[in-house]
Amino acid sequence: MPWSQTTLDLPPLPRGFHLVTRRVVEALPQISETKVGLLHVFIQHTSASLTLNENADPDVRHDLEQAFNHLAPESFPHTHTCEGPDDMPAHVKASLLGASLSIPVCDGRLALGTWQGITLCEHRNHAGGRRLVLTLSGD
């Protein structure tokens, strides 16, 4: 079973939920040659996260942002405040959503559901670029 690994550097994105499925697939062309496999996507940051979610209606991404702002508001009396009021809520949101995804690969394609897409969740107001580590295993 061959392994492939690369990093995907994403430019700074505004706070919110952003579809990155196409960028992930383009960064690892070996996916198209994989009959059966598994793609692992890992984000190397503690104030952004990944999720699989709706890929069609942008209202879902907007509503997710609003829901997570409600769950982890900047107005909460955090102790860790040295990096600004959005930093600790970003860590909470990232912990809730997680830093990685595992997605099956079938016949050269990600085996996502009809309405699923890989979403980068940017939880900071003015974050820098983000880096994803993409690891593919399969035949």
Side-chain angles (χ1 to χ4, degrees):
M1 240 200 227
W3 288 78
S4 300
Q5 187 173 72
T6 192
T7 57
L8 171 59
D9 290 315
L10 297 169
L13 296 167
R15 183 170 168 165
F17 287 63
H18 306 277
L19 283 174
V20 295
T21 310
R22 183 176 3 173
R23 292 180 190 190
V24 167
V25 170
E26 289 171 354
L28 201 59
Q30 297 89 331
I31 292 171
S32 67
E33 303 163 8
T34 304
K35 183 173 178 167
V36 176
L38 189 65
L39 173 65
H40 186 262
V41 184
F42 176 77
I43 189 166
Q44 292 184 313
H45 303 275
T46 60
S47 58
S49 56
L50 297 168
T51 189
L52 283 179
N53 219 298
E54 170 79 45
N55 68 359
D57 186 351
D59 288 346
V60 172
R61 294 187 296 280
H62 175 270
D63 290 346
L64 284 168
E65 172 68 15
Q66 296 305 309
F68 276 89
N69 289 338
H70 180 74
L71 291 172
E74 291 182 17
S75 61
F76 189 84
H78 297 288
T79 302
H80 173 75
T81 59
C82 61
E83 295 181 55
D86 66 333
D87 185 54
M88 192 58 219
H91 292 302
V92 172
K93 295 169 189 177
S95 291
L96 290 170
L97 287 163
S100 67
L101 301 170
S102 293
I103 304 164
V105 177
C106 300
D107 295 323
R109 299 181 58 154
L110 298 181
L112 295 169
T114 302
W115 306 112
Q116 285 182 317
I118 301 170
T119 303
L120 181 131
C121 315
E122 178 54 68
H123 304 303
R124 296 296 307 267
N125 291 326
H126 304 287
R130 300 299 191 175
R131 174 171 283 176
L132 304 180
V133 178
L134 311 175
T135 306
L136 176 67
S137 172
D139 287 323

